[in-house]
PDB file of all heavy atoms in Angstrom:
ATOM      1  N   ALA A  32     -14.140 -22.397  32.094  1.00 32.00           N
ATOM      2  CA  ALA A  32     -13.257 -22.463  33.250  1.00 32.00           C
ATOM      3  C   ALA A  32     -13.958 -21.776  34.474  1.00 32.00           C
ATOM      4  O   ALA A  32     -14.755 -20.883  34.275  1.00 32.00           O
ATOM      5  CB  ALA A  32     -11.920 -21.672  32.900  1.00 32.00           C
ATOM      6  N   GLN A  33     -13.584 -22.127  35.602  1.00 31.00           N
ATOM      7  CA  GLN A  33     -14.094 -21.595  36.837  1.00 31.00           C
ATOM      8  C   GLN A  33     -13.281 -20.303  37.110  1.00 31.00           C
ATOM      9  O   GLN A  33     -12.245 -20.078  36.584  1.00 31.00           O
ATOM     10  CB  GLN A  33     -13.877 -22.587  37.981  1.00 31.00           C
ATOM     11  CG  GLN A  33     -14.672 -23.836  37.820  1.00 31.00           C
ATOM     12  CD  GLN A  33     -16.206 -23.574  37.837  1.00 31.00           C
ATOM     13  OE1 GLN A  33     -16.676 -22.792  38.575  1.00 31.00           O
ATOM     14  NE2 GLN A  33     -16.809 -24.084  36.840  1.00 31.00           N
ATOM     15  N   PRO A  34     -13.870 -19.403  37.947  1.00 32.00           N
ATOM     16  CA  PRO A  34     -13.083 -18.211  38.250  1.00 32.00           C
ATOM     17  C   PRO A  34     -11.786 -18.506  38.831  1.00 32.00           C
ATOM     18  O   PRO A  34     -11.557 -19.336  39.625  1.00 32.00           O
ATOM     19  CB  PRO A  34     -14.069 -17.524  39.304  1.00 32.00           C
ATOM     20  CG  PRO A  34     -15.425 -18.031  38.984  1.00 32.00           C
ATOM     21  CD  PRO A  34     -15.225 -19.513  38.516  1.00 32.00           C
ATOM     22  N   ILE A  35     -10.778 -17.602  38.379  1.00 28.00           N
ATOM     23  CA  ILE A  35      -9.380 -17.831  38.809  1.00 28.00           C
ATOM     24  C   ILE A  35      -8.930 -16.651  39.647  1.00 28.00           C
ATOM     25  O   ILE A  35      -9.213 -15.479  39.169  1.00 28.00           O
ATOM     26  CB  ILE A  35      -8.509 -17.989  37.572  1.00 28.00           C
ATOM     27  CG1 ILE A  35      -8.965 -19.258  36.808  1.00 28.00           C
ATOM     28  CG2 ILE A  35      -7.021 -18.053  37.969  1.00 28.00           C
ATOM     29  CD1 ILE A  35      -8.235 -19.400  35.506  1.00 28.00           C
ATOM     30  N   GLN A  36      -8.353 -16.832  40.768  1.00 30.00           N
ATOM     31  CA  GLN A  36      -7.911 -15.675  41.520  1.00 30.00           C
ATOM     32  C   GLN A  36      -6.635 -15.123  40.948  1.00 30.00           C
ATOM     33  O   GLN A  36      -5.716 -15.825  40.599  1.00 30.00           O
ATOM     34  CB  GLN A  36      -7.651 -16.167  42.990  1.00 30.00           C
ATOM     35  CG  GLN A  36      -8.860 -16.538  43.806  1.00 30.00           C
ATOM     36  CD  GLN A  36      -8.591 -16.771  45.216  1.00 30.00           C
ATOM     37  OE1 GLN A  36      -7.377 -17.069  45.515  1.00 30.00           O
ATOM     38  NE2 GLN A  36      -9.596 -16.875  45.966  1.00 30.00           N
ATOM     39  N   LEU A  37      -6.579 -13.735  40.822  1.00 29.00           N
ATOM     40  CA  LEU A  37      -5.442 -13.168  40.283  1.00 29.00           C
ATOM     41  C   LEU A  37      -4.442 -12.795  41.416  1.00 29.00           C
ATOM     42  O   LEU A  37      -3.275 -13.189  41.338  1.00 29.00           O
ATOM     43  CB  LEU A  37      -5.872 -11.854  39.562  1.00 29.00           C
ATOM     44  CG  LEU A  37      -6.581 -12.020  38.288  1.00 29.00           C
ATOM     45  CD1 LEU A  37      -7.079 -10.634  37.718  1.00 29.00           C
ATOM     46  CD2 LEU A  37      -5.622 -12.680  37.277  1.00 29.00           C
ATOM     47  N   ILE A  38      -4.806 -12.128  42.314  1.00 29.00           N
ATOM     48  CA  ILE A  38      -3.969 -11.745  43.488  1.00 29.00           C
ATOM     49  C   ILE A  38      -4.832 -11.722  44.730  1.00 29.00           C
ATOM     50  O   ILE A  38      -5.992 -11.253  44.764  1.00 29.00           O
ATOM     51  CB  ILE A  38      -3.238 -10.414  43.301  1.00 29.00           C
ATOM     52  CG1 ILE A  38      -4.328  -9.328  42.973  1.00 29.00           C
ATOM     53  CG2 ILE A  38      -2.290 -10.411  42.194  1.00 29.00           C
ATOM     54  CD1 ILE A  38      -3.726  -7.890  43.016  1.00 29.00           C
ATOM     55  N   PRO A  39      -4.326 -12.195  45.951  1.00 32.00           N
ATOM     56  CA  PRO A  39      -5.044 -12.256  47.074  1.00 32.00           C
ATOM     57  C   PRO A  39      -5.217 -10.750  47.573  1.00 32.00           C
ATOM     58  O   PRO A  39      -4.193 -10.021  47.497  1.00 32.00           O
ATOM     59  CB  PRO A  39      -4.260 -12.992  48.044  1.00 32.00           C
ATOM     60  CG  PRO A  39      -2.844 -12.959  47.482  1.00 32.00           C
ATOM     61  CD  PRO A  39      -3.021 -12.867  46.084  1.00 32.00           C
ATOM     62  N   GLN A  40      -6.418 -10.386  48.044  1.00 35.00           N
ATOM     63  CA  GLN A  40      -6.576  -9.025  48.665  1.00 35.00           C
ATOM     64  C   GLN A  40      -7.249  -9.247  49.983  1.00 35.00           C
ATOM     65  O   GLN A  40      -7.842 -10.233  50.298  1.00 35.00           O
ATOM     66  CB  GLN A  40      -7.400  -8.178  47.740  1.00 35.00           C
ATOM     67  CG  GLN A  40      -6.809  -7.948  46.370  1.00 35.00           C
ATOM     68  CD  GLN A  40      -7.579  -6.906  45.590  1.00 35.00           C
ATOM     69  OE1 GLN A  40      -8.778  -6.624  45.901  1.00 35.00           O
ATOM     70  NE2 GLN A  40      -7.053  -6.459  44.446  1.00 35.00           N
ATOM     71  N   LYS A  41      -7.247  -8.071  50.766  1.00 32.00           N
ATOM     72  CA  LYS A  41      -7.742  -8.144  52.125  1.00 32.00           C
ATOM     73  C   LYS A  41      -9.248  -8.476  52.114  1.00 32.00           C
ATOM     74  O   LYS A  41      -9.655  -9.285  52.915  1.00 32.00           O
ATOM     75  CB  LYS A  41      -7.482  -6.855  52.816  1.00 32.00           C
ATOM     76  CG  LYS A  41      -5.985  -6.648  53.089  1.00 32.00           C
ATOM     77  CD  LYS A  41      -5.804  -5.333  53.838  1.00 32.00           C
ATOM     78  CE  LYS A  41      -4.315  -5.026  54.105  1.00 32.00           C
ATOM     79  NZ  LYS A  41      -4.128  -3.724  54.802  1.00 32.00           N
ATOM     80  N   SER A  42      -9.980  -7.771  51.329  1.00 30.00           N
ATOM     81  CA  SER A  42     -11.475  -7.896  51.495  1.00 30.00           C
ATOM     82  C   SER A  42     -12.128  -8.581  50.257  1.00 30.00           C
ATOM     83  O   SER A  42     -13.127  -9.188  50.481  1.00 30.00           O
ATOM     84  CB  SER A  42     -12.033  -6.503  51.604  1.00 30.00           C
ATOM     85  OG  SER A  42     -11.740  -5.695  50.439  1.00 30.00           O
ATOM     86  N   GLN A  43     -11.495  -8.531  49.106  1.00 32.00           N
ATOM     87  CA  GLN A  43     -12.181  -9.176  47.891  1.00 32.00           C
ATOM     88  C   GLN A  43     -11.099  -9.614  46.988  1.00 32.00           C
ATOM     89  O   GLN A  43     -10.047  -8.971  46.826  1.00 32.00           O
ATOM     90  CB  GLN A  43     -13.001  -8.114  47.314  1.00 32.00           C
ATOM     91  CG  GLN A  43     -13.893  -8.689  46.091  1.00 32.00           C
ATOM     92  CD  GLN A  43     -14.784  -7.633  45.543  1.00 32.00           C
ATOM     93  OE1 GLN A  43     -14.777  -6.473  45.925  1.00 32.00           O
ATOM     94  NE2 GLN A  43     -15.509  -8.004  44.506  1.00 32.00           N
ATOM     95  N   THR A  44     -11.331 -10.791  46.358  1.00 27.00           N
ATOM     96  CA  THR A  44     -10.388 -11.237  45.387  1.00 27.00           C
ATOM     97  C   THR A  44     -11.026 -11.057  44.005  1.00 27.00           C
ATOM     98  O   THR A  44     -12.037 -11.656  43.721  1.00 27.00           O
ATOM     99  CB  THR A  44     -10.195 -12.765  45.603  1.00 27.00           C
ATOM    100  OG1 THR A  44      -9.650 -12.905  46.916  1.00 27.00           O
ATOM    101  CG2 THR A  44      -9.232 -13.360  44.521  1.00 27.00           C
ATOM    102  N   PRO A  45     -10.428 -10.323  43.089  1.00 32.00           N
ATOM    103  CA  PRO A  45     -10.937 -10.115  41.730  1.00 32.00           C
ATOM    104  C   PRO A  45     -10.887 -11.408  40.982  1.00 32.00           C
ATOM    105  O   PRO A  45      -9.942 -12.265  41.234  1.00 32.00           O
ATOM    106  CB  PRO A  45      -9.936  -9.121  41.106  1.00 32.00           C
ATOM    107  CG  PRO A  45      -8.723  -9.220  41.926  1.00 32.00           C
ATOM    108  CD  PRO A  45      -9.103  -9.547  43.277  1.00 32.00           C
ATOM    109  N   GLN A  46     -11.876 -11.603  40.185  1.00 32.00           N
ATOM    110  CA  GLN A  46     -12.051 -12.906  39.509  1.00 32.00           C
ATOM    111  C   GLN A  46     -12.100 -12.712  38.012  1.00 32.00           C
ATOM    112  O   GLN A  46     -12.576 -11.723  37.547  1.00 32.00           O
ATOM    113  CB  GLN A  46     -13.248 -13.734  39.983  1.00 32.00           C
ATOM    114  CG  GLN A  46     -13.183 -14.070  41.507  1.00 32.00           C
ATOM    115  CD  GLN A  46     -14.460 -14.762  41.860  1.00 32.00           C
ATOM    116  OE1 GLN A  46     -15.511 -14.592  41.342  1.00 32.00           O
ATOM    117  NE2 GLN A  46     -14.310 -15.701  42.824  1.00 32.00           N
ATOM    118  N   VAL A  47     -11.592 -13.652  37.335  1.00 31.00           N
ATOM    119  CA  VAL A  47     -11.634 -13.657  35.916  1.00 31.00           C
ATOM    120  C   VAL A  47     -12.213 -14.941  35.317  1.00 31.00           C
ATOM    121  O   VAL A  47     -11.706 -16.010  35.607  1.00 31.00           O
ATOM    122  CB  VAL A  47     -10.203 -13.419  35.242  1.00 31.00           C
ATOM    123  CG1 VAL A  47     -10.261 -13.444  33.811  1.00 31.00           C
ATOM    124  CG2 VAL A  47      -9.551 -12.248  35.793  1.00 31.00           C
ATOM    125  N   THR A  48     -13.319 -14.863  34.658  1.00 30.00           N
ATOM    126  CA  THR A  48     -13.877 -16.018  34.040  1.00 30.00           C
ATOM    127  C   THR A  48     -13.570 -15.991  32.498  1.00 30.00           C
ATOM    128  O   THR A  48     -13.985 -15.097  31.820  1.00 30.00           O
ATOM    129  CB  THR A  48     -15.382 -16.095  34.226  1.00 30.00           C
ATOM    130  OG1 THR A  48     -15.630 -16.056  35.595  1.00 30.00           O
ATOM    131  CG2 THR A  48     -15.936 -17.350  33.677  1.00 30.00           C
ATOM    132  N   GLU A  49     -12.861 -16.992  32.085  1.00 38.00           N
ATOM    133  CA  GLU A  49     -12.556 -17.010  30.589  1.00 38.00           C
ATOM    134  C   GLU A  49     -13.467 -18.044  29.894  1.00 38.00           C
ATOM    135  O   GLU A  49     -13.406 -19.207  30.226  1.00 38.00           O
ATOM    136  CB  GLU A  49     -11.027 -17.428  30.419  1.00 38.00           C
ATOM    137  CG  GLU A  49     -10.096 -16.769  31.382  1.00 38.00           C
ATOM    138  CD  GLU A  49      -9.936 -15.271  31.135  1.00 38.00           C
ATOM    139  OE1 GLU A  49     -10.623 -14.746  30.178  1.00 38.00           O
ATOM    140  OE2 GLU A  49      -9.239 -14.555  31.860  1.00 38.00           O
ATOM    141  N   GLU A  50     -14.226 -17.645  28.987  1.00 33.00           N
ATOM    142  CA  GLU A  50     -14.990 -18.498  28.181  1.00 33.00           C
ATOM    143  C   GLU A  50     -14.820 -18.188  26.734  1.00 33.00           C
ATOM    144  O   GLU A  50     -15.442 -17.464  26.143  1.00 33.00           O
ATOM    145  CB  GLU A  50     -16.507 -18.304  28.625  1.00 33.00           C
ATOM    146  CG  GLU A  50     -16.858 -18.577  30.050  1.00 33.00           C
ATOM    147  CD  GLU A  50     -18.287 -18.416  30.413  1.00 33.00           C
ATOM    148  OE1 GLU A  50     -19.013 -17.936  29.578  1.00 33.00           O
ATOM    149  OE2 GLU A  50     -18.649 -18.761  31.488  1.00 33.00           O
ATOM    150  N   ILE A  51     -13.748 -19.045  26.202  1.00 30.00           N
ATOM    151  CA  ILE A  51     -13.465 -18.819  24.803  1.00 30.00           C
ATOM    152  C   ILE A  51     -13.867 -20.073  24.061  1.00 30.00           C
ATOM    153  O   ILE A  51     -13.683 -21.228  24.473  1.00 30.00           O
ATOM    154  CB  ILE A  51     -11.958 -18.632  24.703  1.00 30.00           C
ATOM    155  CG1 ILE A  51     -11.550 -17.395  25.383  1.00 30.00           C
ATOM    156  CG2 ILE A  51     -11.456 -18.675  23.310  1.00 30.00           C
ATOM    157  CD1 ILE A  51     -12.034 -16.100  24.784  1.00 30.00           C
TER     158      ILE A  51
END
Side-chain angles (χ1 to χ4, degrees):
Q33 296 300 312
I35 297 174
Q36 292 186 345
L37 289 173
I38 52 176
Q40 296 185 353
K41 292 181 179 180
S42 59
Q43 185 178 1
T44 301
Q46 296 180 332
V47 179
T48 302
E49 317 292 359
E50 296 182 353
I51 296 295

